[in-house]
Protein backbone atom coordinates (compact mmCIF):
# COMPACT_ATOMS: atom_id res chain seq x y z
CA UNK A 1 0.00 0.00 0.00
CA UNK A 2 1.36 3.43 -0.95
CA UNK A 3 1.22 6.20 1.66
CA UNK A 4 1.30 9.78 0.39
CA UNK A 5 2.95 12.49 2.52
CA UNK A 6 3.01 10.22 5.54
CA UNK A 7 4.93 7.53 7.36
CA UNK A 8 4.06 4.31 9.15
CA UNK A 9 5.05 4.16 12.84
CA UNK A 10 4.05 0.92 14.50
CA UNK A 11 1.30 0.43 11.91
CA UNK A 12 -0.16 3.92 12.39
CA UNK A 13 0.03 6.40 9.51
CA UNK A 14 1.47 9.80 10.46
CA UNK A 15 0.87 12.92 8.39
CA UNK A 16 3.97 14.86 7.37
CA UNK A 17 4.39 18.50 8.32
CA UNK A 18 4.35 20.83 5.29
CA UNK A 19 6.81 23.65 6.06
CA UNK A 20 7.43 27.02 4.43
CA UNK A 21 8.80 30.45 5.33
CA UNK A 22 6.29 33.09 4.26
CA UNK A 23 7.26 36.57 5.51
CA UNK A 24 9.36 38.75 7.82
CA UNK A 25 9.53 42.32 9.05
CA UNK A 26 11.66 44.43 11.40
CA UNK A 27 10.56 47.56 13.25
CA UNK A 28 12.70 49.97 15.27
CA UNK A 29 10.61 51.73 17.92
CA UNK A 30 10.37 52.61 21.60
CA UNK A 31 7.20 50.57 22.04
CA UNK A 32 5.52 47.89 24.11
CA UNK A 33 3.09 46.69 21.43
CA UNK A 34 4.36 45.95 17.93
CA UNK A 35 1.87 45.50 15.07
CA UNK A 36 3.09 43.90 11.85
CA UNK A 37 0.33 44.48 9.30
CA UNK A 38 -0.79 42.18 6.48
CA UNK A 39 1.85 39.52 6.96
CA UNK A 40 1.73 36.62 4.49
CA UNK A 41 0.46 33.35 6.01
CA UNK A 42 0.54 31.23 2.85
CA UNK A 43 -2.32 29.13 1.50
CA UNK A 44 -5.27 28.56 3.82
CA UNK A 45 -5.81 25.05 5.15
CA UNK A 46 -7.93 23.52 7.89
CA UNK A 47 -4.75 22.13 9.47
CA UNK A 48 -2.63 25.26 9.07
CA UNK A 49 -0.56 26.50 11.99
CA UNK A 50 1.17 29.88 11.65
CA UNK A 51 4.42 30.09 13.61
CA UNK A 52 6.06 33.44 14.33
CA UNK A 53 9.58 34.00 15.64
CA UNK A 54 10.05 37.08 17.83
CA UNK A 55 13.40 38.82 18.43
CA UNK A 56 13.36 41.98 20.55
CA UNK A 57 16.14 44.23 21.80
CA UNK A 58 15.95 46.54 24.84
CA UNK A 59 18.05 49.52 25.94
CA UNK A 60 19.19 49.48 29.60
CA UNK A 61 16.11 47.48 30.67
CA UNK A 62 14.84 43.94 30.41
CA UNK A 63 11.52 42.74 29.03
CA UNK A 64 9.78 39.58 27.89
CA UNK A 65 7.01 38.54 25.50
CA UNK A 66 3.67 38.85 27.30
CA UNK A 67 1.23 37.84 24.55
CA UNK A 68 0.66 37.72 20.82
CA UNK A 69 -2.10 37.40 18.25
CA UNK A 70 -1.80 36.02 14.72
CA UNK A 71 -4.53 37.00 12.31
CA UNK A 72 -6.62 38.08 15.29
CA UNK A 73 -6.26 34.68 16.98
CA UNK A 74 -4.60 34.41 20.38
CA UNK A 75 -1.22 32.72 20.02
CA UNK A 76 0.50 30.24 22.32
CA UNK A 77 3.98 31.19 23.50
CA UNK A 78 5.86 28.01 22.57
CA UNK A 79 9.15 29.02 24.19
CA UNK A 80 11.08 32.09 25.22
CA UNK A 81 14.78 32.67 25.70
CA UNK A 82 16.04 35.82 27.37
CA UNK A 83 19.25 37.56 28.30
CA UNK A 84 19.22 39.53 31.54
CA UNK A 85 22.93 40.13 32.23
CA UNK A 86 22.89 38.17 35.45
CA UNK A 87 19.36 39.24 36.31
CA UNK A 88 20.04 42.99 36.26
CA UNK A 89 18.37 45.51 33.98
CA UNK A 90 21.07 48.16 33.83
CA UNK A 91 22.37 47.38 30.33
CA UNK A 92 21.05 46.30 26.94
CA UNK A 93 19.22 42.96 26.89
CA UNK A 94 17.59 40.67 24.32
CA UNK A 95 14.46 38.53 24.25
CA UNK A 96 13.62 35.84 21.71
CA UNK A 97 10.57 33.63 21.48
CA UNK A 98 8.39 31.51 19.24
CA UNK A 99 4.61 31.89 19.18
CA UNK A 100 2.04 29.91 17.18
CA UNK A 101 -1.67 29.71 16.47
CA UNK A 102 -4.02 27.58 14.41
CA UNK A 103 -5.16 29.93 11.64
CA UNK A 104 -7.20 27.92 9.12
CA UNK A 105 -8.52 30.76 6.94
CA UNK A 106 -7.09 33.75 5.10
CA UNK A 107 -3.79 34.17 3.29
CA UNK A 108 -2.55 37.14 5.31
CA UNK A 109 -3.20 39.03 8.53
CA UNK A 110 -1.75 41.16 11.29
CA UNK A 111 0.75 39.84 13.83
CA UNK A 112 0.62 41.74 17.12
CA UNK A 113 3.21 41.12 19.84
CA UNK A 114 2.94 42.67 23.30
CA UNK A 115 6.04 42.94 25.49
CA UNK A 116 6.12 43.20 29.27
CA UNK A 117 7.52 46.73 28.93
CA UNK A 118 8.74 49.14 26.27
CA UNK A 119 12.07 48.66 24.51
CA UNK A 120 13.13 51.96 26.13
CA UNK A 121 14.69 53.43 22.99
CA UNK A 122 13.74 54.26 19.40
CA UNK A 123 17.11 52.67 18.55
CA UNK A 124 15.83 49.24 19.61
CA UNK A 125 12.87 47.21 18.42
CA UNK A 126 11.60 43.87 17.17
CA UNK A 127 11.93 41.53 14.23
CA UNK A 128 9.61 38.64 13.33
CA UNK A 129 9.69 35.70 10.95
CA UNK A 130 6.47 34.03 9.76
CA UNK A 131 6.19 30.33 8.91
CA UNK A 132 3.38 28.12 7.64
CA UNK A 133 2.98 24.57 8.91
CA UNK A 134 0.19 22.28 7.76
CA UNK A 135 -0.70 18.61 8.06
CA UNK A 136 -1.08 17.57 11.70
CA UNK A 137 -2.45 20.99 12.67
CA UNK A 138 -0.70 20.81 16.03
CA UNK A 139 0.16 24.14 17.66
CA UNK A 140 2.29 22.64 20.46
CA UNK A 141 5.90 21.92 19.52
CA UNK A 142 7.53 18.53 20.06
CA UNK A 143 10.73 19.96 21.57
CA UNK A 144 12.14 23.38 22.44
CA UNK A 145 15.46 24.93 23.42
CA UNK A 146 16.58 28.40 24.48
CA UNK A 147 19.86 30.13 25.24
CA UNK A 148 21.25 33.44 26.45
CA UNK A 149 24.79 34.77 26.70
CA UNK A 150 26.01 37.76 28.73
CA UNK A 151 29.00 38.82 26.68
CA UNK A 152 30.14 41.05 23.82
CA UNK A 153 32.27 38.88 21.57
CA UNK A 154 32.16 36.16 18.94
CA UNK A 155 30.14 33.38 20.58
CA UNK A 156 28.07 30.31 19.81
CA UNK A 157 24.54 29.75 21.12
CA UNK A 158 23.38 26.13 21.00
CA UNK A 159 19.64 25.39 20.72
CA UNK A 160 19.57 21.74 19.64
CA UNK A 161 16.22 19.91 19.57
CA UNK A 162 14.94 16.42 18.76
CA UNK A 163 13.57 15.99 15.23
CA UNK A 164 11.77 13.41 13.10
CA UNK A 165 11.62 12.81 9.37
CA UNK A 166 8.90 14.91 7.67
CA UNK A 167 8.90 17.50 10.46
CA UNK A 168 10.16 21.09 10.82
CA UNK A 169 12.44 23.21 13.00
CA UNK A 170 12.16 26.99 13.47
CA UNK A 171 14.48 29.29 15.43
CA UNK A 172 15.51 32.90 15.98
CA UNK A 173 18.26 34.96 17.60
CA UNK A 174 18.83 38.51 18.80
CA UNK A 175 21.82 40.53 19.94
CA UNK A 176 22.76 44.12 20.62
CA UNK A 177 25.03 45.59 17.93
CA UNK A 178 24.70 47.29 14.58
CA UNK A 179 27.67 45.38 13.22
CA UNK A 180 28.66 41.75 12.84
CA UNK A 181 27.08 38.68 11.32
CA UNK A 182 25.56 35.36 12.31
CA UNK A 183 26.02 31.85 10.92
CA UNK A 184 23.47 29.12 11.55
CA UNK A 185 24.40 25.44 11.77
CA UNK A 186 21.61 22.92 11.21
CA UNK A 187 19.14 25.50 9.83
CA UNK A 188 18.84 27.91 6.91
CA UNK A 189 18.70 31.61 7.74
CA UNK A 190 15.55 33.05 6.19
CA UNK A 191 15.83 36.73 7.12
CA UNK A 192 17.97 39.09 9.18
CA UNK A 193 18.39 42.77 9.85
CA UNK A 194 18.72 45.56 12.39
CA UNK A 195 15.99 47.08 14.53
CA UNK A 196 18.13 50.03 15.47
CA UNK A 197 21.03 48.48 17.39
CA UNK A 198 19.20 45.17 17.89
CA UNK A 199 20.23 42.50 15.37
CA UNK A 200 17.49 40.00 14.51
CA UNK A 201 17.74 36.69 12.66
CA UNK A 202 15.21 33.96 11.87
CA UNK A 203 15.98 30.48 10.52
CA UNK A 204 14.26 27.19 9.82
CA UNK A 205 14.21 23.92 7.89
CA UNK A 206 12.09 20.96 6.94
CA UNK A 207 13.58 17.91 8.66
CA UNK A 208 14.39 14.76 6.71
CA UNK A 209 15.67 12.47 9.47
CA UNK A 210 15.22 11.45 13.11
CA UNK A 211 17.88 13.12 15.25
CA UNK A 212 18.18 13.17 19.06
CA UNK A 213 19.10 15.92 19.04
CA UNK A 214 19.65 17.77 15.77
CA UNK A 215 22.73 19.98 16.18
CA UNK A 216 21.57 23.59 15.91
CA UNK A 217 23.65 26.63 16.77
CA UNK A 218 24.11 30.25 15.79
CA UNK A 219 27.63 31.72 15.72
CA UNK A 220 27.77 35.49 16.07
CA UNK A 221 30.44 38.13 15.65
CA UNK A 222 30.58 41.28 17.78
CA UNK A 223 27.11 40.96 19.33
CA UNK A 224 26.31 41.75 22.95
CA UNK A 225 23.92 40.06 25.39
CA UNK A 226 22.50 37.51 22.99
CA UNK A 227 19.37 35.36 23.09
CA UNK A 228 18.09 32.45 21.00
CA UNK A 229 15.00 30.22 20.87
CA UNK A 230 14.18 27.10 18.85
CA UNK A 231 11.27 24.65 18.46
CA UNK A 232 10.60 21.49 16.45
CA UNK A 233 7.39 19.94 15.09
CA UNK A 234 6.97 16.29 14.08
CA UNK A 235 4.42 14.26 12.09
CA UNK A 236 1.24 13.38 13.97
Amino acid sequence: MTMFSSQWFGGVAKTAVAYSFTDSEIQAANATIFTFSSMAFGAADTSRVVVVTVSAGFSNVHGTISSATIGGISATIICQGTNQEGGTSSIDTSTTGIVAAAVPTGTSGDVVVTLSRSTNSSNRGMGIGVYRLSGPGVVAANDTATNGINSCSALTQTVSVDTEEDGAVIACSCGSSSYGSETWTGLTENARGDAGAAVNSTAGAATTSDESPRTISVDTNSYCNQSAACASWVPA
Side-chain angles (χ1 to χ4, degrees):
M1 180 179 180
T2 301
M3 298 302 300
F4 296 96
S5 300
S6 63
Q7 298 176 311
W8 281 99
F9 289 91
V12 178
K14 289 197 171 186
T15 303
V17 175
Y19 156 93
S20 61
F21 168 71
T22 61
D23 212 346
S24 66
E25 186 176 323
I26 294 173
Q27 296 180 9
N30 180 9
T32 301
I33 301 173
F34 286 80
T35 300
F36 301 86
S37 301
S38 301
M39 303 302 293
F41 295 161
D45 189 278
T46 55
S47 68
R48 185 180 63 186
V49 171
V50 177
V51 180
V52 176
T53 62
V54 179
S55 303
F58 299 83
S59 177
N60 299 315
V61 295
H62 177 70
T64 59
I65 302 166
S66 293
S67 64
T69 60
I70 302 172
I73 298 172
S74 180
T76 298
I77 299 176
I78 302 297
C79 62
Q80 186 165 187
T82 63
N83 173 277
Q84 293 181 259
E85 183 61 25
T88 71
S89 58
S90 60
I91 65 169
D92 298 341
T93 60
S94 299
T95 289
T96 52
I98 298 174
V99 301
V103 187
T105 62
T107 58
S108 65
D110 293 351
V111 174
V112 181
V113 181
T114 301
L115 301 172
S116 61
R117 58 146 302 126
S118 74
T119 56
N120 202 43
S121 172
S122 59
N123 196 37
R124 299 295 188 273
M126 181 186 295
I128 65 168
V130 184
Y131 296 82
R132 177 189 185 274
L133 303 182
S134 66
V138 178
V139 173
N142 177 66
D143 195 15
T144 64
T146 61
N147 206 332
I149 297 176
N150 302 317
S151 181
C152 292
S153 61
L155 294 166
T156 299
Q157 294 191 88
T158 299
V159 283
S160 299
V161 292
D162 292 344
T163 67
E164 289 183 11
E165 182 182 355
D166 291 331
V169 178
I170 296 169
C172 60
S173 69
C174 186
S176 178
S177 175
S178 57
Y179 305 100
S181 61
E182 62 284 324
T183 301
W184 287 91
T185 298
L187 296 179
T188 299
E189 186 174 55
N190 300 120
R192 55 112 40 217
D194 300 344
V199 184
N200 305 272
S201 175
T202 185
T207 54
T208 58
S209 62
D210 298 356
E211 299 178 66
S212 300
R214 181 187 182 103
T215 300
I216 299 170
S217 63
V218 55
D219 299 330
T220 55
N221 178 28
S222 302
Y223 292 171
C224 295
N225 306 307
Q226 302 164 50
S227 177
C230 182
S232 64
W233 282 261
V234 301

